[in-house]
Amino acid sequence: MNVGSDTQWAYYDPQESELTMVSLVKEACVDLKNTNGQPSEMSKAAVGAGMTEIMAELKETATKLCAPGKGFLAADESAGPWLRAGHADAAKIPDTLENRAAYRSMCFSTPGLSEHISGVILHWETLFQADANGKDMVKIITENGMIPGIKVDKGYNKKGVWGTETGPLKHPEVATLGLDDLQQRAAQAYAQGARFAKWRNVLQLDPAKGLPSDLSIRESVHTLARYASICQSERLVPIVEPEIVPN
């Protein structure tokens, strides 16, 4: 399933996801040990039932997102989307909160949009935004037959990782920010109605310079694994998509 203008794909592997959730259960059991140093039978049963419920919900959401013939609407830009149109008249439209809300609500309420779009990736502002009539964007999306999602990374520092080569983006290799408070933000997003998440993780490609470096690859794998694990623990289906930027 193609998920945007970039060459990015969302793929859900239930077996890999289950392994991730099992590891979370083991970590949780550390805090559930009784005085004998072992999890009680009641604790194990409670955790098992809770994980089964979460896994079932994640699978249901992922299945809907991967519906044949459908893709994602990437609406996670922070500024007014019309500014990217490249038209002189569009650039004259003020980039205000009200105008962004009007544009987004117009897009999300388009009749028949769900025939081609399964999920809508939102910016944090949009997740908590309402239209001019006070109707939540999340409700507009769900009532139009689509699933709301949320961009949860916090970008990266262009100074990059010290000692790495400068790549096609004109800065060194980078590490994506946002893991520190992701648990709390993922819980907030779910409570607001989001059911999946996106995380932008950039790998610059330049074979002549040896990019991506082994360091950057290891960092990306670790970061994406932590992001995916945290999101699943808060009932959000993670889109795992290392973004390859060629030279």
Side-chain angles (χ1 to χ4, degrees):
M1 177 173 58
N2 195 284
V3 297
S5 57
D6 299 326
T7 306
Q8 303 164 343
W9 294 81
Y11 176 72
Y12 174 78
D13 187 331
Q15 291 183 338
E16 290 184 6
S17 182
E18 185 173 357
L19 289 174
T20 300
M21 301 309 292
V22 168
S23 67
L24 289 174
V25 172
K26 290 180 178 178
E27 291 177 10
C29 284
V30 173
D31 297 325
L32 294 172
K33 288 184 177 180
N34 59 20
T35 54
N36 296 323
Q38 298 294 328
S40 67
E41 291 302 318
M42 183 177 296
S43 295
K44 288 191 289 185
V47 171
M51 302 312 293
T52 299
E53 178 188 349
I54 292 175
M55 286 297 299
E57 181 177 348
L58 289 170
K59 182 177 181 180
E60 180 182 1
T61 300
T63 301
K64 291 178 180 178
L65 289 173
C66 294
K70 294 186 179 183
F72 292 116
L73 171 60
D76 56 332
E77 63 283 317
S78 56
W82 59 85
L83 296 177
R84 298 185 179 187
H87 300 300
D89 289 338
K92 297 176 183 178
I93 301 174
D95 184 17
T96 63
L97 182 67
E98 293 76 17
N99 283 343
R100 292 195 296 272
Y103 183 92
R104 289 162 177 163
S105 62
M106 176 186 67
C107 290
F108 303 156
S109 60
T110 301
L113 188 60
S114 62
E115 295 176 14
H116 309 283
I117 299 296
S118 59
V120 181
I121 305 171
L122 304 176
H123 186 270
W124 194 258
E125 173 187 277
T126 318
L127 181 64
F128 295 88
Q129 200 171 38
D131 67 8
N133 297 317
K135 189 172 185 178
D136 290 341
M137 296 292 174
V138 168
K139 192 170 184 179
I140 295 174
I141 292 168
T142 55
E143 288 186 353
N144 203 14
M146 297 170 291
I147 301 174
I150 180 66
K151 174 184 180 294
V152 291
D153 71 88
K154 291 186 174 181
Y156 55 78
N157 186 337
K158 290 185 178 181
K159 288 186 69 175
V161 179
W162 183 77
T164 61
E165 293 280 356
T166 297
L169 293 174
K170 309 304 180 184
H171 56 65
E173 293 182 300
V174 296
T176 306
L177 306 174
L179 286 178
D180 289 350
D181 62 346
L182 180 57
Q183 194 89 46
Q184 294 80 5
R185 291 187 293 115
Q188 283 181 283
Y190 182 88
Q192 187 64 18
R195 291 298 178 266
F196 71 96
K198 168 198 172 182
W199 179 280
R200 183 172 184 244
N201 211 89
V202 173
L203 283 173
Q204 300 188 72
L205 179 63
D206 189 338
K209 292 184 176 181
L211 301 181
S213 66
D214 289 343
L215 173 62
S216 182
I217 292 172
R218 286 197 300 270
E219 172 64 27
S220 294
V221 170
H222 171 78
T223 299
L224 287 171
R226 290 290 297 127
Y227 144 74
S229 177
I230 292 170
C231 284
Q232 288 177 99
S233 73
E234 297 299 338
R235 300 174 182 261
L236 296 178
V237 172
I239 297 177
V240 179
E241 49 164 357
E243 182 177 333
I244 308 300
V245 181
N247 58 357

